[in-house]
């Protein structure tokens, strides 16, 4: 096919020149990956029907993906952008509409159609693909395929691709804002001595010669980076959870030699589900079951197929990230990655820059689980403890439109922002209903930061806009400078965004409203003023 010139891209009106953010350089490639371009904005994905067959010896994969979609605005002779990152190749591109030409240019397949498309019409594009995908160097943080051996030397394969994108191996519309509304069908083709485990429910298993095809179905919308095949010497055991929407099937797939350990460690799943349904509302994917799958890396929140690699230990590989001892009371990966079923999989950020919506709430889910599983004192202790891993290096919100995520502080700092907001609301039942309301009102949706911020302010009846600006968009932590003479307290905020509205309670029940200007208040109690350490602010006695 004729090479597609980038001149085509320039007529789109997008600013494709290089631009900078701190030490990062963004290019037209980044914009194509991270923006809803004119090659994406006229069609909506409805379903993926895919197959994947890995070759362990060659470290290669092959398969196809039938992309069903609906036209959402009228266009004539458009160009479709399908993402497939190098060195993967599209061997064949077919559509049930006239295709003038297609071309794989870098990490993209551009398909030009010779037709007028009307809103509401439905079509398919089928892409057959193959190649040697990028191999992950440090999964799940450094994305790619994993071809490794289990403890008995047998092949074990999977992929992790949240940051780099599902198109590292699968031809997709690889943008967070467009999930397949009607789910996926995934066929995993393996040698007969291995098992293929995917998202959702196993609906078919067929043996053909020396190969077996495992067919998995997801009925709900799913983010592309959650579509993950796992291939290994898996065995299965099952359980059920009586939840808010009835009986939830629990499906566990582990390597055969881990079976006994898994049956013991996975007893934490039911208390976890009970706690999260209390705080967040019903598990969002009853139709697709809940699943834990042994993974050749630490873990990931793959929807209805949570990757587990915490070596059957409590804590984070046996460590407590909070430094308080509380984090050793439960398995970090079971709790954290399952919390993502609500925040990341049910509610998904439209843009990777807003990944804090996934990680801040899920990091705080560890606090909420602790409160329900242990007690509130332990939960508060854990929340305060994880502040020791906050860097305050760069803002939590990244750069929009270029697949750029913000600081890793989106985990502990974001959780402590939510913890602070909870203190201001000062009504745990109202706070709980806000969390449940988020999961109900944004059920199976992709959202922006502004939507989440506005929702919390509206439902709480408190304007938190400057609080979000402070913690998400700057690296400054508010400092309360104060001095006390008898029952008179003098105070002000420093290191704050203009007009920060963050009232705090002192001495248990007295509220003050600091600004950047000095104020004086008479304390209700005698003795040294007592500050609430649950607010993520610095207290500085300047006497």
């Amino acid at each position: 096919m004729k090479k597609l010139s980038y001149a085509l891209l320039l007529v789109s009106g997008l600013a494709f020149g290089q631009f900078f953010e701190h030490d990062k350089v963004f290019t037209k490639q980044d914009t194509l990956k991270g923006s809803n371009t004119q090659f994406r904005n006229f069609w909506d994905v409805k379903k993926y029907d895919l197959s994947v067959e890995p070759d362990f010896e060659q470290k290669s994969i092959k398969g196809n993906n039938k992309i069903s979609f609906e036209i959402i605005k009228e266009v004539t002779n458009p160009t479709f952008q399908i993402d497939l990152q190098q060195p993967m190749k599209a061997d064949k591109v077919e559509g049930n509409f006239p295709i003038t030409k297609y071309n794989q240019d870098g990490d993209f397949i551009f398909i030009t159609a010779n037709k007028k498309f009307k809103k509401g019409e439905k079509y398919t594009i089928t892409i057959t693909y193959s190649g040697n995908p990028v191999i992950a160097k440090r999964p799940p943080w450094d994305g790619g395929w994993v071809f490794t051996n289990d403890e008995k030397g047998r092949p074990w394969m999977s992929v992790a691709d949240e940051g780099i994108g599902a198109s590292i191996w699968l031809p997709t519309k690889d943008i967070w804002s467009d999930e397949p509304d009607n789910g996926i069908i995934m066929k995993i083709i393996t040698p007969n001595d291995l098992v293929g485990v995917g998202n959702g429910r196993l609906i078919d298993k067929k043996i053909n010669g020396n190969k077996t095809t495992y067919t998995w179905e997801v009925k709900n919308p799913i983010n592309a980076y959650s579509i993950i095949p796992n291939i290994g010497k898996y065995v299965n055991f099952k359980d059920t959870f009586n939840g808010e929407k009835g009986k939830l099937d629990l499906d566990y797939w582990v390597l055969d030699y881990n079976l006994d350990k898994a049956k013991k460690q996975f007893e934490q799943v039911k208390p976890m589900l009970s706690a999260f349904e209390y705080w967040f509302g019903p598990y969002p994917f009853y139709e697709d079951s809940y699943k834990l799958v042994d993974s050749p890396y630490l873990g990931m929140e793959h929807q209805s197929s949570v990757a587990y690699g915490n070596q059957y230990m409590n804590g984070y590989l046996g460590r407590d990230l909070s430094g308080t001892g509380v984090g050793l009371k439960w398995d970090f990966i079971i709790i954290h990655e399952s919390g993502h079923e609500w925040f990341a999989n049910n509610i998904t950020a439209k843009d990777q820059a807003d990944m804090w919506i996934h990680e801040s709430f899920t990091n705080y889910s560890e606090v909420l689980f602790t409160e329900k599983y242990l007690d509130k004192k332990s939960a508060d202790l854990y929340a305060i403890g994880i502040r020791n891993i906050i860097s305050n290096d760069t803002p939590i919100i990244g750069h929009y439109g270029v697949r750029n995520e913000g600081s890793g502080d989106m985990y502990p700092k974001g959780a402590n922002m939510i913890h602070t907001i909870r203190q201001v609301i000062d009504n745990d039942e109202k706070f709980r209903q806000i969390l449940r309301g988020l999961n109900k009102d944004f059920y199976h949706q992709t959202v922006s930061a502004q939507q989440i911020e506005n929702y919390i302010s509206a439902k709480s009846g408190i304007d938190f806009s400057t609080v979000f600006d402070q913690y998400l968009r700057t690296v400054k932590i508010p400092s309360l400078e104060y001095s006390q003479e008898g029952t008179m307290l003098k105070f002000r905020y420093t290191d704050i965004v203009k007009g920060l509205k963050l009232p705090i309670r002192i001495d248990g029940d007295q509220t003050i409203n600091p600004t950047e200007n000095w104020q004086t208040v008479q304390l209700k109690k005698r003795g040294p003023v007592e500050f609430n350490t649950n607010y993520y602010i610095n207290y500085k006695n300047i006497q």
Side-chain angles (χ1 to χ4, degrees):
M1 292 292 172
K2 186 184 292 184
K3 184 174 177 64
L4 185 66
S5 170
Y6 273 112
L8 173 63
L9 308 183
L10 297 176
V11 301
S12 70
L14 296 170
F16 280 106
Q18 291 186 347
F19 59 97
F20 299 83
E21 179 198 44
H22 304 294
D23 58 345
K24 297 185 179 72
V25 179
F26 297 111
T27 67
K28 56 191 174 184
Q29 295 273 332
D30 296 315
T31 303
L32 282 169
K33 289 179 179 179
S35 297
N36 192 24
T37 67
Q38 72 172 55
F39 313 116
R40 287 169 159 169
N41 65 10
F42 62 93
W43 56 288
D44 175 54
V45 176
K46 292 300 178 184
K47 191 170 187 177
Y48 292 134
D49 191 335
L50 65 107
S51 70
V52 56
E53 181 179 358
D55 185 315
F56 183 80
E57 298 299 330
Q58 300 298 319
K59 292 182 171 54
S60 65
I61 57 173
K62 64 181 179 180
N64 58 69
N65 189 14
K66 180 180 179 181
I67 304 170
S68 301
F69 61 91
E70 181 177 336
I71 301 298
I72 55 177
K73 71 176 182 179
E74 187 172 298
V75 288
T76 301
N77 301 336
T79 296
F80 295 81
Q81 174 187 327
I82 307 294
D83 305 293
L84 183 62
Q85 297 182 43
Q86 301 178 79
M88 296 299 295
K89 294 181 179 180
D91 301 316
K92 184 188 296 184
V93 176
E94 301 172 290
N96 62 350
F97 56 88
I99 293 177
T100 303
K101 59 181 178 180
Y102 74 87
N103 182 73
Q104 186 167 355
D105 195 340
D107 292 336
F108 316 102
I109 305 165
F110 294 102
I111 304 167
T112 303
N114 181 22
K115 182 182 178 349
K116 181 177 181 178
F117 292 84
K118 296 180 180 179
K119 183 178 179 180
E121 293 179 338
K122 296 180 180 181
Y123 298 93
T124 63
I125 293 173
T126 302
I127 299 176
T128 303
Y129 66 93
S130 64
N132 295 90
V134 170
I135 303 299
K137 296 177 182 178
R138 186 172 171 260
W141 303 279
D142 181 83
W145 266 77
V146 179
F147 294 89
T148 189
N149 297 99
D150 66 18
E151 292 180 5
K152 293 187 175 181
R154 302 165 302 190
W156 194 13
M157 294 167 277
S158 189
V159 59
D161 54 32
E162 178 184 25
I164 197 169
S167 57
I168 197 171
W169 66 280
L170 181 69
T172 60
K173 187 179 184 182
D174 198 3
I175 187 170
W176 284 14
S177 59
D178 193 0
E179 301 178 344
D181 302 312
N182 302 322
I184 66 168
I185 297 288
M186 175 162 56
K187 294 181 174 65
I188 306 172
I189 303 170
T190 74
N192 287 342
D193 60 340
L194 298 177
V195 177
V197 181
N199 308 81
R201 295 181 183 274
L202 181 64
I203 60 171
D204 192 37
K205 175 185 173 182
K206 287 185 179 178
I207 299 175
N208 185 9
N210 62 353
K211 296 179 181 179
T212 302
T213 300
Y214 296 85
T215 303
W216 296 82
E217 180 182 26
V218 172
K219 293 184 177 180
N220 291 293
I222 182 171
N223 44 52
Y225 72 78
S226 275
I227 303 171
I228 300 293
N230 302 275
I231 300 95
K233 196 68 173 179
Y234 287 106
V235 294
N236 174 235
F237 69 101
K238 300 179 184 295
D239 201 348
T240 58
F241 170 74
N242 294 318
E244 290 192 15
K245 289 179 66 176
K247 187 176 73 172
L248 173 63
D249 294 326
L250 309 180
D251 201 18
Y252 303 126
W253 295 80
V254 300
L255 297 181
D256 49 9
Y257 52 77
N258 285 332
L259 182 60
D260 290 339
K261 289 184 291 186
K263 286 182 176 180
K264 180 179 179 180
Q265 192 74 356
F266 292 177
E267 288 177 358
Q268 296 185 34
V269 167
K270 289 183 181 181
M272 174 274 297
L273 289 170
S274 178
F276 288 165
E277 288 209 332
Y278 171 82
W279 286 108
F280 303 145
Y283 174 75
F285 309 106
Y286 270 72
E287 301 84 357
D288 298 322
S289 79
Y290 170 87
K291 189 186 300 90
L292 282 177
V293 184
D294 254 345
S295 169
Y297 47 83
L298 181 61
M300 265 296 295
E301 67 260 27
H302 305 137
Q303 185 174 314
S304 66
S305 187
V306 173
Y308 178 83
N310 202 37
Q311 300 179 17
Y312 298 93
M313 296 187 289
N314 280 355
Y316 181 99
L317 291 174
R319 295 186 294 117
D320 175 15
L321 296 180
S322 76
T324 65
V326 176
L328 295 177
K329 304 291 186 180
W330 38 265
D331 189 311
F332 178 91
I333 292 300
I334 291 177
I335 305 308
H336 179 90
E337 302 303 348
S338 298
H340 275 306
E341 293 284 40
W342 284 264
F343 290 96
N345 299 341
N346 184 36
I347 303 173
T348 307
K350 288 181 180 292
D351 193 293
Q352 204 156 329
D354 284 334
M355 190 172 163
W356 72 270
I357 297 170
H358 301 187
E359 300 301 350
S360 298
F361 283 98
T362 301
N363 204 241
Y364 197 62
S365 77
E366 300 162 24
V367 178
L368 296 174
F369 170 76
T370 298
E371 182 171 334
K372 194 72 174 168
Y373 186 59
L374 299 175
D375 52 66
K376 199 171 191 301
K377 182 178 179 180
S378 298
D380 290 345
L381 184 65
Y382 182 83
I384 294 169
I386 58 175
R387 293 175 190 171
N388 71 80
I389 55 177
I390 296 174
S391 300
N392 283 317
D393 51 354
T394 58
I396 287 176
I397 290 182
H399 201 101
Y400 290 100
V402 287
R403 287 192 70 92
N404 173 244
E405 61 191 55
S407 168
D409 282 349
M410 69 179 78
Y411 293 78
K413 183 179 177 182
N416 271 280
M417 175 189 71
I418 296 169
H419 197 52
T420 298
I421 288 171
R422 181 181 179 183
Q423 310 312 310
V424 177
I425 293 173
D426 194 24
N427 183 325
D428 281 352
E429 181 56 25
K430 177 181 281 190
F431 178 71
R432 182 172 81 97
Q433 292 305 324
I434 290 172
L435 296 176
R436 290 176 66 93
L438 283 168
N439 280 279
K440 180 181 178 181
D441 294 343
F442 296 114
Y443 184 71
H444 291 177
Q445 293 182 35
T446 62
V447 301
S448 67
Q450 208 61 58
Q451 286 177 281
I452 299 300
E453 293 172 37
N454 291 346
Y455 186 94
I456 292 173
S457 291
K459 296 299 182 180
S460 66
I462 302 170
D463 180 7
F464 284 110
S465 58
T466 56
V467 175
F468 287 115
D469 286 343
Q470 179 80 45
Y471 292 100
L472 297 177
R473 298 177 176 90
T474 80
V475 296
K476 298 185 296 184
I477 303 305
S479 291
L480 184 77
E481 294 185 343
Y482 71 95
S483 62
Q484 182 180 353
E485 293 185 10
T487 58
M488 298 302 294
L489 182 72
K490 183 180 179 181
F491 59 91
R492 72 169 181 180
Y493 271 145
T494 60
D495 300 321
I496 59 171
V497 298
K498 186 175 181 179
L500 175 66
K501 296 178 181 178
L502 179 54
I504 60 174
R505 290 189 308 284
I506 58 175
D507 288 340
D509 60 357
Q510 186 171 355
T511 299
I512 59 174
N513 293 276
T515 67
E516 60 268 31
N517 300 316
W518 284 106
Q519 299 178 58
T520 303
V521 69
Q522 184 166 348
L523 300 174
K524 296 179 181 180
K525 300 177 181 179
R526 294 187 177 274
V529 63
E530 295 180 2
F531 293 106
N532 185 344
T533 55
N534 285 304
Y535 294 87
Y536 182 36
I537 63 176
N538 297 318
Y539 298 102
K540 295 183 178 179
N541 188 338
I542 60 172
Q543 285 180 320

